[in-house]
Amino acid sequence: EKEEKLEIFIPNGPRLGNKVIEAKHVAKAYGDKLLFDDLNFMLPPNGIVGVIGPNGAGKTTLIHAILGQHKASQGEIQLANQALAYCPDTPEFPAYLTATEVLQQSCALNEKPENLQQIELTLEKVGLSAYPNKKVGGYSRGMKQRLGIAVALLLDPVLIFLDEPTSALDPIGRIEILQLITQVSQEK
């Protein structure tokens, strides 16, 4: 029986700057279940990296370990002192806020100056420019996913973790978000 395992795909190509994340001999287990073992990798600040594996392989757990939300069972994860952002596969926001208010709140919580023009541009970038004043409680899952990506982009981090960024999107929305991811990686 083939063992299902986690894989990290780091494409070859030019790398600019220093590493943002380095993992050395990282393992994570829950009880008797070993999710991943002896992971070693360095992530540069530019490019797109894919963490690939079947459901339950530990992809989200690895992201949480990198971000410090879960402790690795063994090994070491080192982060450069730079801004990171995370968008879960099903982002949630207070239902009574509008998309604009969510982005304003994100700026305030991250001590980033509020820039309404940048908020509008970010909403346009993720395909939500027609709904800036609609209450998020009336958003579809796909719209919430786009808003989660907008929050991550607005904070202008060095590295963005997108956990299954196309899972709630229709086929056209998936293509648009994948194109956006490519565009953002090239802009950095």
Side-chain angles (χ1 to χ4, degrees):
E1 184 176 331
K2 184 178 176 189
E3 180 180 329
E4 295 181 353
K5 62 186 239 180
L6 184 70
E7 295 182 40
I8 298 174
F9 177 69
I10 303 174
N12 292 328
R15 298 293 185 218
L16 305 173
N18 297 321
K19 62 190 173 227
V20 175
I21 298 171
E22 183 171 10
K24 298 177 185 175
H25 308 290
V26 175
K28 180 64 179 171
Y30 287 110
D32 293 340
K33 180 170 171 101
L34 182 64
L35 293 178
F36 46 85
D37 186 27
D38 201 31
L39 285 179
N40 296 283
F41 59 88
M42 290 186 295
L43 299 182
N46 297 346
I48 298 172
V49 174
V51 180
I52 302 166
N55 290 340
K59 300 177 297 291
T60 299
T61 300
L62 174 61
I63 292 170
H64 289 178
I66 291 168
L67 296 172
Q69 296 171 330
H70 292 302
K71 185 166 174 37
S73 301
Q74 68 182 59
E76 176 182 17
I77 300 173
Q78 297 174 338
L79 301 175
N81 188 19
Q82 298 182 40
L84 305 176
Y86 171 65
C87 179
D89 62 336
T90 54
E92 290 295 325
F93 306 99
Y96 55 87
L97 294 178
T98 66
T100 299
E101 291 169 337
V102 166
L103 294 176
Q104 289 171 322
Q105 184 182 63
S106 296
C107 287
L109 290 171
N110 288 278
E111 299 177 353
K112 181 178 170 71
E114 182 184 308
N115 179 333
L116 283 176
Q117 183 179 10
Q118 189 62 38
I119 287 172
E120 289 171 9
L121 288 172
T122 303
L123 289 172
E124 183 178 332
K125 197 176 257 194
V126 299
L128 291 176
S129 61
Y131 312 101
N133 298 313
K134 181 177 180 174
K135 302 281 186 203
V136 175
Y139 272 26
S140 68
R141 279 187 58 220
M143 292 172 78
K144 288 179 183 176
Q145 200 154 26
R146 288 172 183 267
L147 184 56
I149 293 169
V151 168
L153 291 174
L154 184 66
L155 299 177
D156 195 29
V158 172
L159 188 67
I160 301 173
F161 290 92
L162 301 174
D163 193 351
E164 300 192 33
T166 62
S167 66
L169 300 175
D170 59 51
I172 292 171
R174 287 178 186 204
I175 291 168
E176 291 171 351
I177 292 301
L178 292 174
Q179 289 172 339
L180 174 63
I181 292 167
T182 301
Q183 175 192 341
V184 168
S185 75
Q186 292 169 350
E187 290 173 358
K188 291 285 180 181

